[in-house]
Amino acid sequence: KWDRPVIEAGSWGVGPAHGTSNFDRIRWPSQGASRRAILQRMTRAVRVYFDFVSPYSYLALSRLADFGVRHDVAWDPAPVFYAALLDANHLVGPAETSAKRRYTMNDVLRAAALHGVPLVGPPAHPFRSLEALRVTTLFAGDPRALELSVALSAACWAEGRDLTDWDVLADVVGLDRRALREVRGEDRNVRPPL
């Protein structure tokens, strides 16, 4: 006997091109339990993309754990290098345009105050977040990955610490600098991917 649905393997596309929706790919127990009751007991795994350079990532990361507990969501943090996304699309970041920078900072300050999230800001912005993002890849798949991501983000945005400083990264993560050599990219054969 099982009380949770089994999701069949296969294509996860939705719509006419795929024939059925994801909802229809779930085998439901025949014991008379309603779909709604079963879905309410299911933990949903959600991938969350972030970059420490974004104040919006900080605001979101600071609230994910509480949201996850209340709504039975398991988070899968996925670091992305925002600068590479901007470059690939021939765009500049909001901090690089004075009108966007003013609006974004005012919006972030309002959102932080509304949600009671402490906000100091990094020592410089924009900053190179690549090293901090690589540190998070050390914990890919680890249940503490979200906690680490929140800690690094809070170190930057709530405490004003410099995430481009390897000593800060080592301190926040709780590892010594030698343990972070792999992430640092000194050996190009073991650089973790983003």
Side-chain angles (χ1 to χ4, degrees):
K1 292 183 178 181
W2 46 277
D3 64 351
R4 290 186 181 248
V6 174
I7 300 173
E8 297 175 1
S11 169
W12 283 100
V14 176
H18 297 282
T20 60
S21 71
N22 293 343
F23 191 77
D24 294 330
R25 293 177 187 274
I26 299 174
R27 285 188 324 199
W28 299 95
S30 59
Q31 300 163 336
S34 73
R35 285 184 175 191
R36 172 171 277 163
I38 292 169
L39 284 175
Q40 287 173 344
R41 291 193 316 253
M42 285 178 59
T43 298
R44 290 168 286 281
V46 177
R47 177 164 282 175
V48 59
Y49 296 92
F50 66 93
D51 187 340
F52 297 117
V53 76
S54 169
Y56 294 108
S57 286
Y58 162 65
L59 293 173
L61 286 169
S62 68
R63 299 177 51 93
L64 287 181
D66 182 54
F67 183 93
V69 168
R70 286 186 288 124
H71 299 284
D72 200 23
V73 174
W75 300 106
D76 177 19
V80 296
F81 192 42
Y82 185 52
L85 296 175
L86 291 172
D87 288 346
N89 291 288
H90 310 289
L91 299 170
V92 294
E96 298 174 57
T97 306
S98 63
K100 286 182 181 180
R101 179 177 36 252
R102 279 192 308 275
Y103 173 80
T104 299
M105 285 300 122
N106 284 332
D107 187 48
V108 168
L109 288 169
R110 282 190 301 262
L114 176 68
H115 297 293
V117 177
L119 182 67
V120 173
H125 193 268
F127 62 91
R128 180 180 159 98
S129 61
L130 187 58
E131 290 79 14
L133 295 169
R134 283 194 175 135
V135 168
T136 63
T137 64
L138 287 175
F139 294 85
D142 188 307
R144 299 169 297 167
L146 178 62
E147 183 181 335
L148 168 74
S149 301
V150 170
L152 285 166
S153 188
C156 175
W157 289 97
E159 300 168 19
R161 297 177 74 184
D162 184 358
L163 293 188
T164 65
D165 182 337
W166 282 97
D167 289 330
V168 170
L169 296 175
D171 181 51
V172 173
V173 176
L175 298 173
D176 62 25
R177 285 184 65 143
R178 286 183 302 162
L180 295 179
R181 289 176 98 180
E182 177 179 314
V183 175
R184 205 168 168 180
E186 291 174 0
D187 181 351
R188 297 202 184 278
N189 294 324
V190 293
R191 262 191 190 174
L194 284 178

